[in-house]
Each structure stands twice: as structure tokens, then as C-alpha cells.
Amino acid sequence: MGVDEPLSRMPQLRLDELLEELQARINAARGTRDRVHHLLEAVVSVGRELDLNQVLRRIVEAAALLVDARYAALGVIGPDGRTLSQFLTVGLSDEEVARIGPLPAGHGLLGEIIRHPEPLRIDDIHAHPSSYGFPAHHPPMKSFLGVPIRVRDEVFGNLYLTDKRGEQEFDAEDEGVITTLSVAAGVAIDNARLYESSQRQRRWLEANAEITRRLLSGSARRDVLELLARRAREITGAALADVSVPVPGTGDLVVELALGSDPDARRGLVVPADGTLSGAAYASGTPATTPDLPKDDRYNAGPRSFDGLGPAVSVPLGTGAEDSRGVLLLARAEGDPVFTDGELEPLLTFSGQAAVALELADRRRDAEQLALLEDRDRIARDLHDLAIQRLFATGMTLQSAARLVENPGAAERVARAVGDLDETIKIIRSTIFGLRTREEETGPSLRAQVARAVGEAGTTLGFPPRLSMEGLLDTDVPAVIADHVVASLTELLSNAARHADATRVEVTLQATPREVCLTVTDDGRGLPDGGRRSGLVNLAERAHRVGGTMETAAPPEGGTRITWRAPLNTDR
């Protein structure tokens, strides 16, 4: 019996082994079934989203869950095809990300999959030839699995997974699961991009229609430009939108309109055409882009006011370098996606609307000027044909009647009335001469020069000054004094823009028979005690040179009022 007992137990042991093997196979099958189930859930979850950022976040989260990885990341390859433009992580807290510093750009081991877009599985990261360590405060990582994500045969980005839980290494099954997920991810990303593109196209069309309505309704040029910049900023998700126009007689641009990111500090800034992103687009007549505006060595000229910004694009407002009327600059926040070719095409069409707005504004101004000149001709003709003839006839009648007046006092009054009529005729004739004088014959009139100076000052001030003109400025003010008036006005407006920090500026120019008086009032900080006053000294010297005066005052409501006067002698 003792010998036969072990023999009798052999079938039992064999049966236990078979049962254990069967159970292991059942567990493996159940695990495979569960993993396939989780994979299907992940595919459905990823494909359900239409927002691209949400799709990318779902992909990296699903990848980490499927292979039980402690850390996961998704890197989006930039337009250059060599570096990462976006990097989403799972497993790192915000504090850890902040301590690590700038996110990877796609060098080392991460760049290996960019250069060779095939799955890569490594048991020890440090043992790979392309690995050169981690930055300070980076958590330790050992095992690694990387898989590219393709969208329509184009590599969109890569999935990176590290440190499989339980001190295990990634196996072939993990690689197969993530590869399958990457295929579904490519389809989901393509759908999200198509949806995003269609929505963006719809918004561009709506914005174009809105701007067209504004143009046809005769809205002001600045209002149309502001609407265009605001819509472009909203649609592209930009943090900053600037419209810069050329400065006449120079190679520079000036920021006429600024939206977002401290606009008051940028409005009125002079931007060099050489060494700036806006200048590059203006000079070439084609869009200029950069993935990181503050760090781009190609565009380091001009005022540095781009802290916290990243990708940027500058688009000319026109169809070429010769037709460009300005530049639209859009900049996104630091870390945001770069501007793609798909975004530039509708942006170029949209910028053409801005060129149309500027062109229509110029044509409308020319039409208004032409209508004004025609009206002035009509007024001059009516004054000459009607008013002067009737006044002359009335004077002749009074002269004839004066011979019949016997009372010396009454005769003197009639003679004085005749003299007044003659003086009135002289004034009207002078007015007619001023109305009919063309700028190309005698140069710009004083009124035109003052209006132009005030209009140009609106660019540097950030708002249009109020202008009021009275009297026979174009006929009674001699050319020498008119030059001093324009120079003094330019100096006063420049001082208000640079030093006053004002929100309102009023300009009043008045000509009387005795003097011409220029008054510029602002609501700024006033004249500082002991501050530099070289500009005021120059203004006083100008007034003294023509026998006039210059006075400064502080209005009760605050600010500064400067009055510049010069005497007139209309008989000379």
C-alpha cells in the first residue's frame, strides 16, 4: 500500500496542474476581454468630443489608463516638423510642472520618435543613446513607450508613456493597445479639426458680412477698423490685436488701434519697419509669422511690449507691398498653438476687408472735400453775383441821396453808411478770394493745415481732439504768422501726447480784425512744478518774434490751458 499510494496520487496532481492552467487561461482571457472593453470605451470617449483641446486631453488620459502608466504625455509636432508646439501631461500636478520649468520642445528621446515615427518601447530610459537625462525637479522615470499619432498619413504628434505601475515593463500587448488607440485618436483629431475649421469658416463669413454692412452704411473708418481687429482677435483666440499704419515721410509704422494686453501702453507707439514683425509684413506685402514673438531674434527692434505672449502673425492690409495700407498684428498667449496655414488663408481675406475700409474712407474723404470745394465755389459765385451787386447798388443809391440831404448830421451818417458798405464789400471780396483759392496754387490754407495737424495728432493721443475755427483765417492771417500758428499748434499737441496723460484735448483758433488767437486746453496732469519747459520757451519766443504773447493757465476743472496770440495788420 505504501508503494501504490504515490502512484495513485499522480493523476490527481496532473489534474490540479491542468485546472490551474485552465484558470490562468480563463483569467488571461478575462483580462484580455476587459482590456478590449476598456479600449473600446476609450475609443468611444475620444471620438465623442469635437473640441480639439478636449480630444487631445481625452487621448492622453485614456492612454495612461489603458496601460496603467504613472505618467503620460501627448506632444503636438509644430509646423517645422522638428519640435513640439504643444505638450499635454497626465500624472504631474501643476506644482510639479511649475518646478520643472519649460515643457519639452522635442529633443533627446522625445525627438527620436519625431525623427523616426515608429513605436518605441524601452525598459530603461537612461540606457537609450538618445537620452540625456531629466531637468531639475523632474520625477524619476524608467520604462518608456512612445507611439506616433497619424492624421491622414501625416504625423500629428506622439504619445509618450512612462513608468508602468507595479515596477513592470511595457510589453508587446501594451504597445498594440496604444497603437490601436493612436489610430482611433487620429480619426478623432481629424474630425475635431474639420469641425473646428468649419466653425471658424462660419465665423469668418459672419464677420465679413458684418464689416460689409458697416462699410456700406458709411461708418467711420476707425469704427470699421476696430470692429475688424476685434473680430479677428476673437476668431483666432489672440490675446492682442494691433492695427499699425505708415507714418508719412518715414519708414516707420505707428500703432493706430490696440486691443487687449494693456492697449493704452501700445497705442501711439512708433514701430520701425526694419526688425519688427509688423514691419516685415508691411515691407513684403505677405504674412509674417513667429512661434514665439518675445524670443524671436529676427524681430527684436522697437519697444518690447510682448511679455506673456507667444505665437504671432502679422498680415498686411492690402494685396501687395505697394498697395499695403497698414498691418494687422495678432499674438496669442505664451504656450498657445502657433498660427497654421489653414488660419492664414481666411485671415488674408479678412485683412482685405480692412484695406477696403481704408480705401473707402479715403474716397469718402475725397468726395466730401470735392463737395466742399463745389459748395465753396457756389457760395463765392452767389456772393459775387448777388450780395456784392446789391450792396454796390445800395451804396450808389445812398451816395445819390446824400446830395439831397440838407442836414449836416444826417449827411454825415449817410456817408458813414456808404463807407461801411464799401468796407463790407472788401471783406466779402476777400472771402470770395479765399473760397476760390486752390491749394495747388497757393499751398495749403491755414484752415487745412490746422485740420491736418489736429487729425494726425489723434494717432499719438489715442483719441481725436476737438477743433473749433472762427474768422477769416485764410485771408486775414499772413503766411508768416500762419506758419508760426501751425508750428505752435504742432508743438502743443505733441506736448499733450507725451506729457499730459490727457483724455480730452480742445483746440480753438480764432481770427479777429486785430489778432489771431490759438488756444489748446487739455484735462491732463497740468504743468509740473520745476519740470522742463523748453517747449513753452520756444512757443513764447515764436509769439514774441511776431509781436505776440503766450499765456499758460490751469482751468478750475484741472489740466492746462495755453493761449498763443499774434497781432494782425490787415492793411499791409
Side-chain angles (χ1 to χ4, degrees):
M1 292 293 294
V3 175
D4 295 336
E5 184 176 354
L7 295 176
S8 65
R9 294 184 58 186
M10 291 294 295
Q12 181 66 36
L13 293 174
R14 181 60 179 165
L15 179 61
D16 290 342
E17 291 175 359
L18 291 174
L19 288 175
E20 289 177 1
E21 183 179 352
L22 179 60
Q23 185 64 42
R25 290 177 179 271
I26 292 174
N27 291 337
R30 184 180 293 115
T32 301
R33 183 199 62 186
D34 293 341
R35 179 167 255 189
V36 170
H37 178 71
H38 291 322
L39 177 60
L40 291 175
E41 285 184 341
V43 169
V44 172
S45 174
V46 168
R48 187 183 296 121
E49 293 290 343
L50 289 175
D51 180 78
L52 182 58
N53 289 329
Q54 290 295 327
V55 168
L56 299 180
R57 174 60 59 181
R58 287 287 182 91
I59 291 171
V60 68
E61 290 174 349
L65 183 64
L66 284 172
V67 297
D68 203 19
R70 183 174 285 107
Y71 305 106
L74 192 155
V76 179
I77 300 177
D80 60 1
R82 299 187 304 272
T83 58
L84 299 176
S85 62
Q86 196 175 356
F87 199 77
L88 292 80
T89 62
V90 168
L92 294 174
S93 65
D94 294 339
E95 292 77 10
E96 289 176 313
V97 171
R99 285 198 302 270
I100 293 172
L103 294 174
H107 305 296
L109 187 58
L110 301 186
E112 184 70 19
I113 307 180
I114 298 177
R115 294 185 293 271
H116 307 286
E118 298 293 337
L120 179 63
R121 181 159 43 94
I122 302 172
D123 296 337
D124 188 353
I125 294 176
H126 302 280
H128 195 275
S130 298
S131 176
Y132 57 79
F134 298 105
H137 308 292
H138 196 287
M141 297 179 180
K142 185 179 180 183
S143 56
F144 175 87
L145 174 61
V147 176
I149 299 176
R150 286 182 169 83
V151 177
R152 297 191 179 187
D153 296 329
E154 177 185 346
V155 179
F156 173 83
N158 301 308
L159 272 172
Y160 307 107
L161 301 117
T162 61
D163 280 13
K164 187 176 178 70
R165 298 182 188 276
E167 302 299 329
Q168 298 181 21
E169 299 170 352
F170 295 107
D171 54 24
E173 187 175 342
D174 294 327
E175 181 180 323
V177 169
I178 297 302
T179 301
T180 303
L181 177 65
S182 70
V183 174
V187 175
I189 291 171
D190 192 28
N191 289 337
R193 291 204 300 187
L194 289 174
Y195 177 77
E196 187 178 78
S197 176
S198 66
Q199 290 297 102
R200 186 168 56 245
Q201 187 68 25
R202 177 185 61 80
R203 296 182 67 186
W204 281 123
L205 291 174
E206 291 177 350
N208 279 327
E210 184 179 7
I211 291 173
T212 301
R213 287 195 300 269
R214 286 288 191 92
L215 290 174
L216 295 178
S217 65
S219 297
R221 167 182 174 274
R222 183 178 178 84
D223 292 341
V224 175
L225 281 182
E226 183 175 356
L227 175 63
L228 182 140
R230 187 166 64 249
R231 290 291 179 265
R233 179 183 171 218
E234 292 171 355
I235 295 173
T236 60
L240 171 151
D242 287 353
V243 175
S244 301
V245 296
V247 179
T250 71
D252 298 332
L253 303 169
V254 62
V255 180
E256 179 178 349
L257 182 69
L259 298 177
S261 186
D262 194 13
D264 294 334
R266 301 193 317 280
R267 191 182 300 115
L269 282 177
V270 175
V271 180
D274 187 19
T276 61
L277 188 68
S278 296
Y282 178 74
S284 65
T286 57
T289 61
T290 175
D292 195 339
L293 184 56
K295 299 178 183 177
D296 199 321
D297 294 334
R298 297 172 298 170
Y299 311 116
N300 54 8
R304 307 304 295 167
S305 55
F306 303 119
D307 292 340
L309 299 176
V313 61
S314 188
V315 183
L317 304 181
T319 56
E322 297 180 356
D323 300 327
S324 181
R325 292 176 167 270
V327 175
L328 171 64
L329 172 67
L330 297 169
R332 286 173 174 156
E334 185 178 6
D336 282 358
V338 299
F339 287 90
T340 63
D341 293 339
E343 292 178 295
L344 290 183
E345 184 177 352
L347 188 57
L348 276 172
T349 304
F350 197 62
S351 67
Q353 292 283 67
V356 173
L358 295 173
E359 181 72 21
L360 284 179
D362 291 343
R363 294 295 174 264
R364 190 178 296 123
R365 184 170 59 249
D366 292 343
E368 292 173 352
Q369 184 68 16
L370 181 60
L372 175 63
L373 293 175
E374 291 177 348
D375 200 36
R376 289 169 65 175
D377 282 343
R378 180 187 59 78
I379 294 172
R381 186 171 57 252
D382 291 345
L383 286 174
H384 182 272
D385 296 344
L386 301 175
I388 287 183
Q389 298 300 329
R390 296 189 65 174
L391 288 173
F392 187 76
T394 301
M396 294 290 293
T397 302
L398 289 175
Q399 279 184 328
S400 300
R403 301 189 187 96
L404 305 176
V405 177
E406 298 179 354
N407 188 307
E412 182 183 355
R413 289 186 177 183
V414 172
R416 192 162 56 246
V418 172
D420 290 341
L421 287 175
D422 288 340
E423 191 64 30
T424 302
I425 291 173
K426 290 180 182 178
I427 293 174
I428 294 177
R429 281 177 173 167
S430 176
T431 302
I432 293 173
F433 176 77
L435 289 172
R436 286 183 169 173
T437 299
R438 297 292 190 269
E439 287 192 5
E440 58 268 20
E441 298 172 355
T442 63
S445 66
L446 178 57
R447 285 179 177 269
Q449 293 183 77
V450 169
R452 185 177 296 116
V454 171
E456 292 175 353
T459 300
T460 53
L461 286 168
F463 56 87
R466 295 182 59 183
L467 174 62
S468 174
M469 293 186 284
E470 299 179 14
L472 302 177
L473 296 169
D474 296 336
T475 56
D476 283 3
V477 181
V480 175
I481 296 180
D483 291 341
H484 284 291
V485 169
V486 174
S488 300
L489 174 61
T490 303
E491 178 74 18
L492 289 170
L493 292 173
S494 177
N495 289 342
R498 290 182 296 170
H499 308 302
D501 194 20
T503 60
R504 177 177 54 83
V505 174
E506 295 183 1
V507 177
T508 302
L509 182 61
Q510 184 179 23
T512 67
R514 295 188 302 274
E515 68 175 8
V516 60
C517 179
L518 171 66
T519 304
V520 177
T521 306
D522 66 64
D523 63 348
R525 64 184 67 179
L527 295 175
D529 295 333
R532 293 182 57 188
R533 300 195 174 211
S534 56
L536 297 181
V537 172
N538 293 337
L539 292 171
E541 288 179 354
R542 282 186 180 277
H544 180 71
R545 206 174 302 160
V546 293
T549 60
M550 197 273 294
E551 303 171 354
T552 62
E557 62 274 14
T560 306
R561 178 185 296 118
I562 298 179
T563 305
W564 190 96
R565 302 175 187 272
L568 298 178
N569 182 3
T570 56
D571 293 333
R572 61 183 173 185

